[in-house]
Every structure is written in C-alpha cells, then in structure tokens.
Amino acid sequence: MAADTKLKALEGNDLGDYVRKELPQGRWSDAWGVFKSNFGKVVINNLLTLVFFVPLVVILYIRNLYVDSISLIYPFSTNLGPASPHPVPDMAGVAEGLNLSSDLMFYSLAIVAALIAAVGVAGSFYSMKKLLNTHGKFTVKGYFHGVKVSYLNTALPVLLFSVVLFATVIVWDWKEYTIAIGNSAAWPITAVVLMIILMVVVGLLCLWFMAVGVSYKVKPWQLVKNSCILFVGFIIQTIFIVGVALIPVWLLFMGSLMRIIALLIFIVFGFSYVSLVWMAFTQWAFDMYITPAIEAEKQVARSKMTEKELAAEKEAEEKRIAGEILAAGKSELVGRPIKPVGEEKVMALSAVFTRSDVAAVAASRSELISVVDGYEDAHKNDQRYVEYNKMFAEREKALQDTSKKGKKKKVSAENLLK
C-alpha cells in the first residue's frame, strides 16, 4: 500500500487555531522569508522556550561542577612513588565508578527536567509551524495554546528519548569502568556502539513523533504508525535536515570560541531555528502525501466569525475586486496624451558605422523623446484627459475614503464602477 494511502487518515485532522495560507513560493524560500521578516517573533519564541530548558541546563551544569570537584579532591593521578611515607591505595576504576554513580543520579533527574523542557518543545514546534503556515502569525497566547493541545504528544517522545539517552550514558560509564579495572573491553565497546545507534534511531523517530503530534489530531497508535511510515519514507532527507537543524549544537563541540557563539545563538534564536527548520521540512513532507485542506480550514474559520467580521470580510473582498477592475479598466493610451505618428525620423545605423554615427543616432533619439514629452506636457490639461483621469481618481479614492462621521462608505464592485 502506498504511503499516501497509509497516511490518508491524517487528512483533514489538522491541529491548529489558525487558517493555513497557500505557499506563494517553494517551501524553503518561503521559510527563509518568514524567518527574516519575523525575526522578532522568532526571538520571543526562543526566549519562552529557553525558560523551560533552564532546569535541564542547571542539572547538567551542576553535574559537571560535581564531577570536576571530585577530580580535585580525590588523588586519582597522584604518584608519590615508593619513598612516600604514606601508602597510596589502588585507585584503579575509582574515578570511573564515581562518574557512573554521579550520572545515575544527575541523568535520572535530567529525565524529569526533560519533561519540563517538553513544554517549551511543544510550544516552540507548534508556534513555528503556525508561523510558517500563516506567514507571520505569532502570539504568546498561541504559544501556550500549542502547549495545551500538543504537550502529551510531545512529552511522550521526549520521555522515550531521555530514557534511551540515560541508558546510553550509563552504558558508556560502565564501559569506562570495566576497562579501567582491567576487564575485557570487547563487549562493553560493542554495547556502547549499539546504544549509540539505538539513540540516534530513537531520536530521529521521536522528532517525527513530535512533528506529527503538533500537526494533527491523532491517537497514540496512529502517532507511532504514521511517524514510522514518514521516518522510513524520508530517511535520507531526515538525516540531512537534522544535521542542518542542529548546527548550533555542533558548534558546541568546536572549541571555546565556537562554544561561546553557540551559546549566544541558543539564547537569541537557537531553539526557534531548530524548530523552524524541522517544521518546515516536515510540513513539506506532509504536503507531499496529505492534501492541505485549506478551503475546509477557511470554512471552519468563517463558521466561528461574528456577523460583523463576516461583513468586514465581504466588504474587503468587494474592494479587492473593485480595485482589480479599476486597474484593468484604466488605459494609459486613453489617460495620457500620446503624440500621433508624424514625419519625424530616427536615424538608424548602417551595416558599417563609426563612433560619430552612434553619437548622431543617440542625439536623434533624444530629440524625438523630447518632442514626445513636449507634446504630452502641452496637452495633459486637455478636457478629455482631465475628465478621464478624474473619473478613475474618484473611484480609487472611494476605496479608502470615509464619511465625516468616520464611518467607511459601502463600496462594492457594482456601485463603485457605475
């Protein structure tokens, strides 16, 4: 069965408090335009998301301080030699064992902090999806609406990835401890490699879980099934896009200067950048298999509008139509004086010419242009041109004009163009 058939259940179940707009251009050029023209909103979204990541960042920071302080207190690398009056106990594996116990404590706390960070992930993914689909709509209220409707679909994959990450870190620490005490390294290294592969696969799957979860109303089984279909169908593209989206993360591993730049990026727009890139890609993937029900969304939005809002929408549409008819009806050939064809001649270059011939042709053309402009200036106040342009000027003015009481005039394609 084709992927578009398997994903058909998602069609029409869009999750959103907005009406999607049609793309005026390609998905990526459109995403870049949205990012540039709405950078302030991107920053606000990033700051909101950053708040929910603070507990996780604090836990990991304290973990590093704790491990560094232990390395200073314990004599892991002390070598006093046989002349020392105080015998030094065997420290093999002690440092690795302390790392293991530290990570068991701090990374288990990080799982809880990740569930708090999932609030920011849900809000950020939903808001960036909305920003892309509406070309600029973003509000703090909409951010938390996204949290309300999609937190569960975001928290579950975040929890799954956090548990796998925790297991991977513990297996890594176990491998280091096993090697330090002199045991065989073959199985520990194999276990680490398998856990890293599992973590990458689960991480990519969880990203799809979240993309589907913030885009469509789905049940848990549908969420897993459809995400797996999309992951398998776009495996190469997924790996590439995740690599692009995580550029700020890669900068953290490229030296102290790049680490500072990466931290600044995360503070200003890093989380929003990751969300925007991933949601732009996944919305493109959805549109390949799931027909965006744009007209249906518009009808649903209209059903929620008040009579006043419907009347304002109708008047705006009538003004748009009237403006298009006015623009199409006005003719430059009738609205401005154009000199009739006379006996004026313009020099032309022959097959063989010199620089002086080129100068003479240019002078001849300039003279003809001045004659045409002079004719227009001399006749622009003729009655037929004045009346014609006045008629269109009055009609165009009526599109924005208001009465003395400040109320807008009723304008339509019918009464404006009579």
Side-chain angles (χ1 to χ4, degrees), residues 157 160-161 164 197-207 209 231:
L160 174 61
F161 178 74
V164 174
I197 294 173
L198 177 64
M199 183 180 68
V200 171
V201 173
V202 170
L204 296 177
L205 265 174
C206 287
L207 284 172
F209 291 162
F231 172 66

Side-chain angles (χ1 to χ4, degrees), residues 53-65:
F53 272 82
V54 168
L56 180 60
V57 173
V58 169
I59 287 173
L60 296 180
Y61 179 71
I62 293 175
R63 179 264 175 199
N64 290 337
L65 287 180

Side-chain angles (χ1 to χ4, degrees), residues 39 43 46-47 50 248 251-252 256-271:
F39 187 72
V43 173
N46 193 77
L47 295 176
L50 185 61
L251 294 177
L252 290 171
S256 57
L257 177 60
M258 287 299 180
R259 187 177 295 114
I260 293 172
I261 294 173
L263 291 174
L264 290 175
I265 289 174
F266 271 113
I267 292 172
V268 178
F269 66 89
F271 293 107

Side-chain angles (χ1 to χ4, degrees), residues 108-230:
S108 59
L109 291 174
I111 294 175
V112 179
L115 292 176
I116 300 174
V119 176
V121 174
S124 182
F125 275 22
Y126 180 88
S127 295
M128 291 299 98
K129 180 200 70 166
K130 180 178 179 178
L131 198 72
L132 289 166
N133 286 339
T134 60
H135 302 138
K137 286 187 179 180
F138 172 85
T139 60
V140 175
K141 181 180 178 181
Y143 181 95
F144 287 102
H145 175 80
V147 175
K148 178 182 177 182
V149 299
S150 60
Y151 174 73
L152 186 60
N153 288 340
T154 304
L156 291 177
V158 167
L159 177 62
L160 174 61
F161 178 74
S162 300
V163 171
V164 174
L165 175 62
F166 170 79
T168 303
V169 171
I170 299 307
V171 171
W172 178 280
D173 290 342
W174 169 71
K175 182 262 298 183
E176 294 293 314
Y177 175 76
T178 302
I179 294 174
I181 62 177
N183 292 339
S184 173
W187 282 111
I189 292 176
T190 303
V192 167
V193 172
L194 292 175
M195 287 303 301
I196 291 175
I197 294 173
L198 177 64
M199 183 180 68
V200 171
V201 173
V202 170
L204 296 177
L205 265 174
C206 287
L207 284 172
W208 274 110
F209 291 162
M210 290 184 282
V212 175
V214 301
S215 300
Y216 297 99
K217 300 174 185 177
V218 288
K219 296 178 180 179
W221 170 241
Q222 285 182 310
L223 177 66
V224 173
K225 182 182 70 172
N226 293 321
S227 299
C228 290
I229 293 170
L230 289 161

Side-chain angles (χ1 to χ4, degrees), residues 58-79:
V58 169
I59 287 173
L60 296 180
Y61 179 71
I62 293 175
R63 179 264 175 199
N64 290 337
L65 287 180
Y66 179 76
V67 171
D68 291 342
S69 64
I70 289 178
S71 65
L72 293 174
I73 295 172
Y74 283 78
F76 296 129
S77 58
T78 302
N79 184 15

Side-chain angles (χ1 to χ4, degrees), residues 324-335 388-390 392-393 396:
E324 290 179 356
I325 295 175
L326 280 174
K330 188 175 181 181
S331 172
E332 288 291 322
L333 295 175
V334 182
Y388 182 84
N389 290 319
K390 181 181 178 181
F392 278 93
E396 290 169 356

